[in-house]
Amino acid sequence: SGFASHVLAFVNAWQSERDQMETNEIFVDEALMQQLTAAIGYSELSWYALKLGCLMARADANSLSLLRAGGVGATLETLRADWPDESASRVEVALALMQNVAYSNEGVTTILHAGGVGVVLGVMKEHAHAVAVQKNGLGVLWNLCDSDEHWAAFLSEGPSMAAVLLATMRHHPDDRRIEELVVDMLWDISSTGEGQAHILSAGGVPPILHVM
């Protein structure tokens, strides 16, 4: 289709900038965003649509337009789906999109209210050895900390969150960036007694002492 060609052409033009994942282009086209959101759910277009959404969401106006089009919900549904060709690269770019969206208050609220914390933890657990998935997942969680609302979501996932964070550090012992992000997240959830209890129950003290 014409839209598929548009997605492929745009993404291919940005392949050399894949690590940067940002663009100064502003489209703010509601019709395009609706099509983009729909394309996220199609296996043959999902990665490309997620990639395009990730790039566009670096601009605040695009991020807001994507939110209004239901982009976060579509991305979370994609992450929840058990596709036969489950790919860490698709999960990686989906998390990158959510990380970019979570730079805004509205994005954070949307992710939290849609159950995004549990979804992020789930794919981090499933792709425990994929470095990019772990870093992007941690990036989403860290951006959510900007909202006071994050406490309820984090604590409701407390045991799972502590376990996933510690497993991430265990699987990637030589990655300093992952280590820093995990320690930052553990510091955040340890600000409450309940969070401290979850960390202790997950055996968090020895690995934390090890990296000090």
Side-chain angles (χ1 to χ4, degrees):
S1 69
F3 176 65
S5 299
H6 176 77
V7 171
L8 290 170
F10 187 95
V11 172
N12 287 335
W14 276 88
Q15 283 306 298
S16 62
E17 306 294 336
R18 185 166 184 230
D19 290 336
Q20 187 176 0
M21 285 192 176
E22 63 181 28
T23 177
N24 293 323
E25 299 291 337
I26 298 180
F27 293 89
V28 195
D29 182 323
E30 297 297 332
L32 172 61
M33 288 301 184
Q34 292 289 346
Q35 290 179 306
L36 179 66
T37 297
I40 288 174
Y42 289 91
S43 59
E44 67 274 16
L45 281 180
S46 183
W47 186 91
Y48 300 100
L50 288 165
K51 179 67 175 183
L52 177 56
C54 175
L55 293 168
M56 293 173 69
R58 293 295 295 177
D60 291 343
N62 288 337
S63 180
L64 181 59
S65 182
L66 186 63
L67 283 168
R68 290 173 175 169
V72 166
T75 301
L76 290 174
E77 284 305 308
T78 296
L79 289 173
R80 290 186 181 104
D82 184 20
W83 288 0
D85 60 341
E86 181 63 41
S87 167
S89 64
R90 181 174 59 80
V91 173
E92 171 194 343
V93 75
L95 291 173
L97 185 156
M98 290 189 31
Q99 184 176 356
N100 290 345
V101 168
Y103 282 115
S104 72
N105 291 334
E106 186 170 348
V108 168
T109 299
T110 301
I111 293 170
L112 289 174
H113 289 183
V117 173
V119 175
V120 171
L121 292 173
V123 295
M124 287 178 66
K125 181 178 180 179
E126 183 177 354
H127 298 277
H129 295 283
V131 174
V133 169
Q134 300 306 305
K135 288 183 177 178
N136 289 352
L138 289 167
V140 176
L141 295 174
W142 183 248
N143 285 352
L144 296 179
C145 292
D146 284 341
S147 167
D148 289 340
E149 291 187 60
H150 84 280
W151 289 113
F154 278 20
L155 292 176
S156 69
E157 300 285 349
S160 175
M161 174 167 278
V164 169
L165 291 174
L166 292 168
T168 295
M169 192 158 58
R170 185 171 63 252
H171 287 306
H172 305 278
D174 300 320
D175 193 308
R176 296 292 295 176
R177 181 55 180 160
I178 284 181
E179 183 181 282
E180 291 171 1
L181 287 168
V182 168
V183 171
D184 283 343
M185 289 303 308
L186 291 172
W187 171 80
D188 181 75
I189 62 176
S190 70
S191 299
T192 68
E194 187 177 346
Q196 293 169 18
H198 292 318
I199 294 171
L200 290 172
S201 296
V205 174
I208 292 172
L209 291 175
H210 179 72
V211 301
M212 292 178 65

